[in-house]
Amino acid sequence: MNFNLPFVPERPAQPRQSGVTMMMDKGLSLREAENFCEVSAEYTDIVKLGFGTGLLTPKFKEKIKIYQQAGLRPYFGGTMFEAFIARNMFDDYRRFITDAGVEYAEVSDGVLPIEHGKKCEYINMLSKDFVVLSEVGTKLKGKEITNDEWVSWMLSELEAGAWKVIAEARESGNMGIYNDDGSANSELVLDIRNHVDPDKILWEAPLKNQQVWFIKLLGPNVNLGNIAENEVIPLETLRRGLRGDTLLSFLP
C-alpha cells in the first residue's frame, strides 16, 4: 500500500492458497497483458484464458510467458478442455497444454456431458503433471443440479487430485451458484460452505454485488474468479475495505 492505513485486512503473500483472485483473459493482446501485469499482477494469482480463446489468440505462447514472468499462473479455460474431449482428443489436449508451457489445467463438464467417474479420471491423470482446477456446475439453462450433488462432486473432485474446485457462474454471473437476476443462491452456497473447505473453493463472481456478498460472508480472503482485467484493483479495494461497499466492514 502507498500509505500504512490501520485496520486494513492483511492479504496472504504470493503465491497464495487463500484470497486467490482469478482474472479472466478473453483475448488480451501482448501489450494489454503487459499493461495489466504492470498494475495488477500484485493482486492477481491465476489467469484463465477464457473459452477457446487460446486457440485463436495470436502469439498466445508469448502472452503466457508475460504472465509467468510477472509471477502469475495462466491456464486454459474448461470450455477448451471440453472441446478436445468432445472430439475424443484427450491425449492431444495434454500435448497442447504441455507445449504451451502452462503448469495449470482446468477440467469441466459445463456443456459436454461427462460421466462423473470419468471426469475424476481426467482430473487424476492431469494432476500427475499439472495443478488442476475442476469446475462444478452447468452452463446450460434448465439443467438442475441438487445441492447434494454439488457438494458430493466437489469433494470427489478434490479427492481425485484437484487443487481447487471452481463454482460455476459463467462470465455473465447468472448461472450455477447464482439466480437469474445475478443474486447468490444463498442456500446452495451455505450448503457448500458447510461441507467443503472454503479455501478449496474458487467462487466465480464477475459482478461487484457478488464479490461484495462473498467478502461479507467469507471474509476478505475468499477465493474469487472470472474477474475482468480492469476489475482486479477494484476487487482488491473491496477486500481491503477501501470501497464504499465494505468501508465499515473491517473497522474495530
Side-chain angles (χ1 to χ4, degrees):
M1 292 182 59
N2 298 325
F3 183 87
N4 188 22
L5 197 67
F7 310 117
V8 172
E10 292 187 11
R11 300 277 282 123
Q14 294 173 312
R16 284 181 275 262
Q17 298 298 314
S18 62
V20 168
T21 294
M22 176 260 277
M23 186 272 277
M24 187 174 187
D25 176 338
K26 295 192 283 188
L28 298 182
S29 68
L30 296 184
R31 180 61 58 82
E32 287 170 327
E34 289 172 344
N35 290 343
F36 170 81
C37 290
E38 181 182 350
V39 296
S40 299
E42 180 181 354
Y43 310 113
T44 309
D45 301 277
I46 53 180
V47 175
K48 176 168 70 176
L49 307 180
F51 336 124
T53 57
L55 295 176
L56 301 177
T57 307
K59 300 182 179 179
F60 74 99
K61 290 183 182 180
E62 289 92 331
K63 183 162 67 170
I64 286 170
K65 290 179 181 177
I66 288 171
Y67 287 134
Q68 291 172 333
Q69 288 167 356
L72 307 182
R73 296 162 279 176
Y75 65 99
F76 298 100
T79 300
M80 197 170 82
F81 167 81
E82 294 182 47
F84 275 82
I85 299 304
R87 294 164 174 81
N88 195 29
M89 295 174 64
F90 175 69
D91 289 339
D92 298 271
Y93 173 77
R94 187 157 49 182
R95 282 191 291 269
F96 176 81
I97 62 175
T98 298
D99 183 64
V102 297
E103 299 175 355
Y104 283 58
E106 182 180 330
V107 173
S108 74
D109 58 351
V111 176
L112 178 71
I114 302 175
E115 191 273 324
H116 192 252
K118 185 63 176 178
K119 183 183 180 186
C120 288
E121 284 184 28
Y122 288 131
I123 293 169
N124 183 258
M125 286 187 285
L126 286 169
S127 70
K128 300 181 188 309
D129 299 302
F130 302 91
V131 178
V132 176
L133 298 104
S134 65
E135 186 174 70
V136 176
T138 179
K139 292 179 170 67
L140 302 177
K141 284 287 187 184
K143 183 177 178 181
E144 297 297 328
I145 302 175
T146 68
N147 291 14
D148 287 344
E149 286 174 326
W150 275 90
V151 170
S152 174
W153 293 347
M154 284 184 163
L155 290 173
S156 59
E157 291 174 24
L158 288 168
E159 186 176 352
W163 170 59
K164 295 196 187 299
V165 286
I166 301 171
E168 170 71 69
R170 301 204 73 172
E171 74 281 1
S172 55
N174 62 355
M175 294 285 292
I177 54 174
Y178 299 107
N179 302 311
D180 289 343
D181 63 357
S183 63
N185 182 338
S186 57
E187 180 182 342
L188 170 61
V189 171
L190 291 174
D191 268 355
I192 294 171
R193 182 200 65 177
N194 290 337
H195 293 90
V196 184
D197 180 353
D199 283 348
K200 293 291 186 180
I201 306 168
L202 194 151
W203 310 92
E204 292 188 339
L207 306 180
K208 187 189 78 165
N209 65 297
Q210 298 166 352
Q211 298 159 15
V212 171
W213 191 84
F214 272 108
I215 289 169
K216 289 185 174 181
L217 178 71
L218 297 174
N221 288 311
V222 60
N223 302 316
L224 297 174
N226 277 16
I227 309 301
E229 75 278 3
N230 61 343
E231 292 294 332
V232 167
I233 290 181
L235 167 59
E236 193 68 19
T237 64
L238 290 173
R239 292 188 186 274
R240 306 286 189 106
L242 298 173
R243 194 170 178 180
D245 308 82
T246 58
L247 184 68
L248 305 180
S249 298
F250 309 116
L251 296 177

